Amino acid sequence: MKIGILGGGQLGRMLIQNALKYDDEWFTLDPAKDAPCSSISYFTEGNFNDYESVFNFGKGKDVVSIEIEHVNVDALFELQECGIKIIPSPEIIKTIQQKILQKEFYKKHQIPSPEFQVIQRKSEANFPLPFVQKMNTGGYDGKGVQVITNEADIEKLWDVPSVLETLVDIDKELSIIIAKNEKGETRTFPVTEMVADPKLNLLDFNICPSSISEDVQHQIGQIAQQFIEAADSPGLFAIELFLDKNGKVWVNETAPRLHNSGHQTQEGNSNSQFEQMYRVLKNLPLADTDILSFSGMVNLVGEEGFSGKAKYEGIEEILKLPKTYVHLYGKSETKPGRKMGHINVLADSREELMEKLVRIKSLIKVKS
Amino acid sequence: MKIGILGGGQLGRMLIQNALKYDDEWFTLDPAKDAPCSSISYFTEGNFNDYESVFNFGKGKDVVSIEIEHVNVDALFELQECGIKIIPSPEIIKTIQQKILQKEFYKKHQIPSPEFQVIQRKSEANFPLPFVQKMNTGGYDGKGVQVITNEADIEKLWDVPSVLETLVDIDKELSIIIAKNEKGETRTFPVTEMVADPKLNLLDFNICPSSISEDVQHQIGQIAQQFIEAADSPGLFAIELFLDKNGKVWVNETAPRLHNSGHQTQEGNSNSQFEQMYRVLKNLPLADTDILSFSGMVNLVGEEGFSGKAKYEGIEEILKLPKTYVHLYGKSETKPGRKMGHINVLADSREELMEKLVRIKSLIKVKS
């Protein structure tokens, strides 16, 4: 089968890497000539935000999917008209691309998500403090999001179409990944706990399974089911959640694609998110997602103050550790905060896992 | 690092697939334009038995290795002279390539291997019946090997340089994979039991761990140590063994490379033989090889009577089974007996494993 992926980054690379155990032809589109997928797929250098580029790329494929949601969705609608299978649907990609549509989608389908106000410009802001401003478009990896704490902060508001959202008093950040194939079969991965780096606002650690109560587990299961029914599309979706200090779960946002919060499934579960995504794309029976042990992940991001050809300081030490798995993304150049890879680790208990994660984090640095 | 592999088949493909999580450049040489490695490495179409082809391919690489032992070893000696790292050493490849040298190597190093006679031609045969004739060169996957049971059979002897070897009264066929890096660190995988298909003489099932006594375990551990010391080379080696009905272990033969008997390590062990081979090539700390559960493998070989574009009958049924992993080799054309892929499976007990393996074997057929 000819499978086309918009975006040629690490998510696509790991999808293709896993799927090399099946017989398919992979095609990727990315503006960066040396994108992580460029050497392991039929690669087209081009802009996935450009109508013509996406349309021409998609023609002749059996299925077109994404590894980034900021793509030209009009071209996807047009490809769908031409009979090409688009997974997930252009409709749900469009909804998720725009924070305003995404929030309205949650509201419409009674999926719990923080109260919000939509503004087109700064002057319209009229929302109880403290709140979060999320730009309608252009947000990614923590960009386009800011917290407004007090009256003085209101000055800082970006003068663009945005959502203003109640600031949740967060106890834990959680994520659930759910997949659905065209037959309508659905399957979730166990809930993952995400521990963020306050400086970079990039996901830092994943811990799976999360230590949550049965009630919280139940709320999340319900949210995932509500979401997948409302989305009305095959695909793999990562729902990012806040658990507040009163024990209530809120949807922060959803990614209609493979997600950083699922990386530890590569070794921690019977099958990974990448295997599940493959099965969705081919409408195959969904894979079992059982936990094999406690698992966690550390992101490898470029150190502050280093740019250029990447060097992974401490990597030999890491490779000596049992049940520890290095995943680099084939990016030759590092820069501060750039996601260069991740390290997965397995453990027999949560305590052992935390110790290992902290140790790994202290051992390895991406420099140049 | 620029890593060159002689051979572009499934072993190379799975090596490269695994190593996509690191940053290296992979190069392969194979006579078949559509070899399994051709689309995922810098590929050279050429004969790995030809001096010029191998020498030209190896120039400029940091390390050259093999995924098949029938390569031009003179070119490897020459590349080594030019300062290119060859893993495993050309010396041990040469020894293993020729059954006569291989048998003499075991004898010299007191590694238990069945009694034998070397013959240059048929007329020299003078060895107690029943015995096995192994051609000095050209044997592979059961080809070039025949059993001579009685006087009448002696007529069938091939008139070529060969080893005649005592026929072992086999209780079990076993395999141990051992790896050594340039630092001298060594690590073994757990002993695997191989159940052969009597018709195809191709490995059929792997079962790991094997059900062997402590004494047999001890004999095998000693053989692996003796072998790796005698080989005096970094590399990953699969030592194929016979356990006879008196409880004694004999070396059948050794492969100086990745091996079919290690395929279930992909999901069954903390790290796979492919990860270990990568670490050997880069002189990195060797990986832990712990068993995660009972694991097994079924080879997927082309059905008798079918040639042409491969179809995997029953594959959807297989994909519904928990902890079951399909690995296809990216070969578009099937023919009778051709290795097209394998299926790994995990289980909580040997009994469950056997049931699963037999079920899988009955469900799937490679047709055209």
Side-chain angles (χ1 to χ4, degrees), chain A residues 186-205:
Chain A
T186 65
R187 190 86 68 126
T188 57
F189 281 89
V191 175
T192 296
E193 202 170 323
M194 303 185 291
V195 182
D197 179 327
K199 214 167 63 203
L200 279 172
N201 208 0
L202 259 182
L203 179 58
D204 215 0
F205 287 168

Side-chain angles (χ1 to χ4, degrees), chain A residues 22 41 55 78 108 117 130 151 197 215 266 304 307 354:
Chain A
Y22 299 110
S41 60
F55 186 76
E78 190 59 31
K108 178 177 168 196
Q117 182 198 356
E151 291 291 338
D197 179 327
D215 172 65
Q266 288 174 308
E304 286 297 328
S307 288
M354 289 307 296

Side-chain angles (χ1 to χ4, degrees), chain A residues 8-9 31 63 73-74 89 94 104 113 135 139 185 246 248 258 263 292 301 303 326 337 339 356:
Chain A
V63 55
V73 82
D74 293 333
S89 73
K94 187 179 170 183
E104 286 166 349
S113 183
M135 287 184 188
E185 194 188 350
N246 297 318
K248 180 159 168 62
L258 296 158
H263 284 359
L292 300 178
V301 299
E303 280 289 295
V326 174
K339 285 186 189 168
K356 280 182 157 181

Side-chain angles (χ1 to χ4, degrees), chain B residues 102-116 134 165-166 168 215-216 218-227 230 239-244 247-254:
Chain B
Q102 196 182 143
K103 287 296 286 187
E104 285 166 350
F105 170 86
Y106 298 136
K107 191 169 180 182
K108 178 177 168 195
H109 296 284
Q110 295 164 4
I111 295 167
S113 182
E115 286 298 308
F116 67 103
K134 292 177 172 176
E165 191 183 86
T166 305
V168 175
D215 172 66
V216 170
H218 178 77
Q219 289 181 60
I220 294 173
Q222 204 154 36
I223 286 170
Q225 284 311 318
Q226 277 177 287
F227 177 86
I239 309 175
E240 294 185 51
L241 305 155
F242 294 136
L243 172 62
D244 75 16
K248 180 161 170 57
V249 178
W250 305 90
V251 174
N252 174 24
E253 59 184 53
T254 301

Side-chain angles (χ1 to χ4, degrees), chain A residues 42-57:
Chain A
Y42 298 100
F43 180 70
T44 304
E45 191 181 334
N47 187 347
F48 41 66
N49 279 304
D50 176 62
Y51 180 92
E52 292 293 329
S53 300
V54 171
F55 186 76
N56 289 330
F57 173 78

